[in-house]
């Protein structure tokens, strides 16, 4: 690990590391062997694809199965795996296998990379992350093979099982269902209980966060012993998933769910609620959603998953902290309390910063998209929210965007994966707080 520059901060190392992975993936995808037609794919197309894969988003400008050969699909899958787990996690695990010493600086970068609460036990957590990943993805792949092998044959069925299991667990959103027609995603399996259940479970497990895994593994079903972080994540996740599913079930009855059997409607509503939390798969036509359905999907995409996970968004903990803050101020309570614990003031400041930063980026990107091309407001904002939340859901306009719009979406996906706050801090560098503060003065609010 001597390659790590001592002049760079931890956030700068993460930001630069992802840029390196994206550029390497872009160059590999440009090779003729990576495309099904054995031709060189334009750099902007490969850059968009590599960014979407590395940032586990799922937005595409070309259909994954139709355009990319097996080698191109393999490169995309590797990028998804690296992006989902975090390149520092994989790097540390390799160092462990090689019996290399893990220094304090590397441990600090790893802590920042997976957004862990403390540096103690970070190497042990990295080992559990990799081991858990292999177990969950392996089981998911085997279960999906029961559907894919009978349809696609042995070898392709195995490959499809592996690809979609990794993509779901890492919240990547890439699929190979273009074999039935470009940009189909999992629409053909909208009523298949096995595919729905496996994909949804992988998405949720990958999106709750590595720290939550570790906490549940340590305390099993002793919920009272869970940390405050785990309690908030599990409660918020359950609320958003159930609330979203109920809304989609009733809101889309006369639209995208019309004519489907009741069981399929339930599966579609559940899947839509789960996948909007940064996964990017779809079992119904996302572009055909009602305006209400699009708005709720945008909200779920903006929130995303949980800290230290394969998911993006402002995170569930941020949403809960904002709720607790507003509730405390309305009730004029002292302190921000939840689950018989008090939140630190720093958590409130970070939650406000992350939310405002992501919202600002999404709004600016929407304005640029609307200026560059004649999209509708809902479609442009949907695409921006999907990119900043690293979701990958689309109303269908991504493959038709111009060069300027593509660059904007690439930037949003990048910021969404490393974190808008991390990106801002990487630009700040090693600046120190001034010893003297400016004089305070009151202003009117509200």
């Amino acid at each position: 690990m001597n390659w790590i520059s001592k002049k760079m901060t931890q956030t700068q190392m993460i930001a630069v590391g992802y840029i390196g992975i994206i550029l390497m993936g872009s160059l590999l995808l440009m090779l003729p062997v990576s495309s099904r037609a054995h031709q060189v794919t334009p750099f902007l197309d490969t850059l968009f694809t590599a960014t979407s894969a590395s940032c586990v988003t799922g937005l595409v400008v070309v259909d994954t199965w139709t355009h990319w050969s097996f080698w191109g699909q393999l490169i995309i899958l590797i990028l998804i795996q690296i992006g989902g787990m975090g390149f520092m996690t994989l790097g540390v695990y390799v160092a462990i296998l090689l019996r290399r010493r893990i220094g304090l600086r590397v441990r600090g970068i790893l802590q920042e990379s997976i957004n862990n609460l403390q540096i103690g036990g970070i190497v042990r957590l990295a080992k559990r992350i990799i081991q858990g990943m292999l177990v969950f993805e392996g089981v998911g792949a085997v279960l999906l093979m029961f559907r894919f092998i009978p349809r696609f044959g042995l070898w392709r069925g195995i490959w499809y099982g592996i690809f979609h299991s990794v993509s779901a667990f890492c919240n990547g959103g890439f699929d190979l269902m273009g074999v039935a027609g470009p940009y189909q995603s999992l629409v053909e399996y909208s009523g298949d209980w096995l595919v729905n259940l496996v994909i949804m479970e992988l998405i949720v497990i990958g999106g709750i966060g590595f720290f939550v895994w570790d906490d549940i593994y340590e305390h099993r079903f002793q919920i009272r012993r869970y940390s405050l972080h785990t309690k908030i994540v599990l409660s918020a996740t359950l609320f958003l998933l159930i609330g979203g599913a109920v809304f989609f079930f009733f809101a889309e009855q006369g639209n995208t769910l019309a004519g489907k059997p009741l069981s399929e409607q339930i599966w579609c509503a559940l899947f839509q609620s789960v996948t909007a939390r940064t996964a990017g798969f779809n079992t119904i036509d996302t572009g055909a959603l009602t305006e209400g359905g699009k708005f709720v999907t945008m909200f779920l995409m903006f929130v995303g998953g949980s800290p230290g996970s394969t998911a993006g968004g402002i995170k569930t903990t941020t949403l809960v902290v904002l709720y607790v803050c507003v509730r405390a101020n309305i009730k004029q309570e002292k302190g921000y309390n939840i689950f018989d614990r008090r939140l630190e003031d720093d958590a409130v400041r970070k939650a406000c910063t992350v939310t405002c930063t992501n919202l600002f980026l999404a709004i600016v990107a929407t304005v640029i998209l609307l200026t560059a091309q004649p999209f509708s407001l809902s479609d442009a904002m949907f695409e921006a929210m999907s990119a900043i939340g690293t979701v990958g859901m689309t109303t269908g306009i991504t493959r038709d965007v111009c060069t300027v719009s593509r660059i904007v979406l690439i930037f949003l996906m990048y910021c969404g994966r490393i974190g808008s706050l991390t990106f801002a801090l990487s630009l700040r560098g090693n600046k120190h707080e001034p010893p003297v503060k400016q004089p305070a003065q009151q202003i009117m609010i509200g």
Side-chain angles (χ1 to χ4, degrees):
M1 295 294 179
N2 294 327
W3 51 272
I4 296 179
S5 172
K6 295 182 179 180
K7 296 182 180 181
M8 299 178 71
T9 64
Q10 294 175 354
T11 52
Q12 286 174 336
M13 278 300 309
I14 296 170
V16 172
Y18 272 101
I19 290 176
I21 293 169
I22 290 169
L23 291 177
M24 180 63 71
S26 302
L27 295 176
L28 290 174
L29 289 174
M30 285 186 69
L31 297 175
V33 71
S34 297
S35 71
R36 192 173 292 278
H38 297 289
Q39 296 177 349
V40 176
T41 304
F43 176 71
L44 191 58
D45 288 352
T46 63
L47 179 63
F48 192 101
T49 304
T51 304
S52 184
S54 302
C55 300
V56 288
T57 305
L59 289 175
V60 294
V61 290
V62 293
D63 182 71
T64 307
W65 185 89
T66 306
H67 183 84
W68 303 109
S69 66
F70 169 78
W71 297 109
Q73 295 168 16
L74 181 61
I75 292 169
I76 290 172
L77 189 65
I78 293 173
L79 292 175
I80 292 173
Q81 190 72 86
I82 293 174
M85 290 294 95
F87 68 95
M88 282 303 302
T89 305
L90 296 175
V92 167
Y93 191 72
V94 171
I96 293 172
L97 294 178
L98 296 176
R99 299 183 182 278
R100 298 286 182 86
R101 180 178 175 274
I102 311 298
L104 184 61
R105 179 169 172 75
V106 175
R107 293 170 188 259
I109 297 173
L110 178 59
Q111 178 196 8
E112 184 73 25
S113 176
I114 62 177
N115 201 16
N116 198 43
L117 297 174
Q118 57 188 17
I119 197 170
I122 196 69
V123 174
R124 175 185 58 81
L125 179 58
K127 292 170 64 176
R128 284 188 178 177
I129 290 173
I130 300 298
Q131 292 166 356
M133 171 199 75
L134 294 174
V135 171
F136 293 129
E137 291 180 351
V139 172
V142 171
L143 291 175
L144 290 175
M145 288 175 196
F146 283 102
R147 287 292 185 267
F148 295 147
I149 289 178
R151 179 180 177 185
F152 300 110
L154 180 61
W155 297 113
R156 183 184 285 186
I158 292 174
W159 172 239
Y160 270 48
I162 294 172
F163 189 97
H164 291 93
S165 179
V166 173
S167 184
F169 179 77
C170 293
N171 284 214
F174 280 80
D175 68 85
L176 301 178
M177 294 305 167
V179 64
Y183 312 105
Q184 288 293 306
S185 192
L186 299 174
V187 173
E188 286 188 87
Y189 295 91
S190 60
D192 191 309
W193 68 271
L194 180 61
V195 173
N196 276 270
L197 194 60
V198 172
I199 295 293
M200 286 192 295
E201 286 187 352
L202 288 172
I203 292 171
V204 172
I205 292 172
I208 60 175
F210 310 132
F211 177 83
V212 176
W213 293 5
D214 195 53
D215 204 11
I216 294 175
Y217 179 82
E218 290 288 341
H219 301 114
R220 300 299 195 276
F221 297 106
Q222 301 178 45
I223 299 177
R224 291 185 178 180
R225 299 185 62 184
Y226 288 173
S227 68
L228 177 61
H229 174 85
T230 300
K231 291 178 181 177
I232 290 175
V233 166
L234 295 179
S235 301
T237 299
L238 186 63
F239 173 79
L240 290 172
L241 293 184
I242 294 178
V246 171
F247 172 85
F248 286 119
F249 180 78
F250 289 105
E252 297 294 324
Q253 279 286 313
N255 190 41
T256 55
L257 301 182
K260 298 180 184 294
L262 179 61
S263 61
E264 188 172 345
Q265 290 183 18
I266 295 173
W267 283 119
C268 286
L270 281 169
F271 196 93
Q272 183 70 15
S273 181
V274 171
T275 194
R277 307 284 309 292
T278 85
F281 295 104
N282 61 280
T283 55
I284 57 176
D285 184 3
T286 307
L289 289 172
T290 61
E291 290 301 308
K294 288 182 181 179
F295 182 81
V296 171
T297 301
M298 282 189 277
F299 170 74
L300 293 175
M301 292 193 296
F302 186 71
V303 175
S306 302
S309 70
T310 61
I314 63 171
K315 307 297 190 295
T316 52
T317 50
T318 299
L319 179 67
V320 172
V321 169
L322 292 176
Y323 163 74
V324 171
C325 178
V326 171
R327 184 192 64 185
N329 282 284
I330 291 176
K331 293 184 175 181
Q332 296 185 341
E333 297 175 346
K334 291 185 177 179
Y336 308 112
N337 306 308
I338 183 172
F339 290 120
D340 298 323
R341 294 291 185 273
R342 180 176 57 84
L343 298 174
E344 296 180 345
D345 292 339
D346 187 53
V348 178
R349 285 195 295 268
K350 285 184 177 179
C352 293
T353 302
V354 169
T355 303
C356 291
T357 302
N358 278 30
L359 189 60
F360 173 78
L361 289 173
I363 292 174
V364 171
T366 301
V367 172
I368 295 175
L369 291 175
L370 291 173
T371 305
Q373 291 177 265
F375 296 132
S376 68
L377 175 60
S378 61
D379 285 350
M381 181 168 285
F382 193 99
E383 224 70 12
M385 289 292 187
S386 180
I388 192 67
T390 69
V391 182
M393 300 186 75
T394 177
T395 58
I397 69 173
T398 300
R399 53 185 178 272
D400 299 321
V401 295
C402 64
T403 300
V404 173
S405 298
R406 287 190 184 188
I407 293 173
V408 169
L409 293 177
I410 287 171
F411 178 73
L412 287 180
M413 289 188 289
Y414 173 73
C415 289
R417 182 60 189 119
I418 68 171
S420 55
L421 184 58
T422 298
F423 178 74
L425 291 174
S426 69
L427 299 178
R428 182 175 182 269
N430 284 312
K431 294 181 180 180
H432 300 286
E433 290 292 332
V436 179
K437 295 183 178 180
Q438 299 293 335
Q441 187 172 351
Q442 291 185 337
I443 62 171
M444 292 182 289
I445 299 294

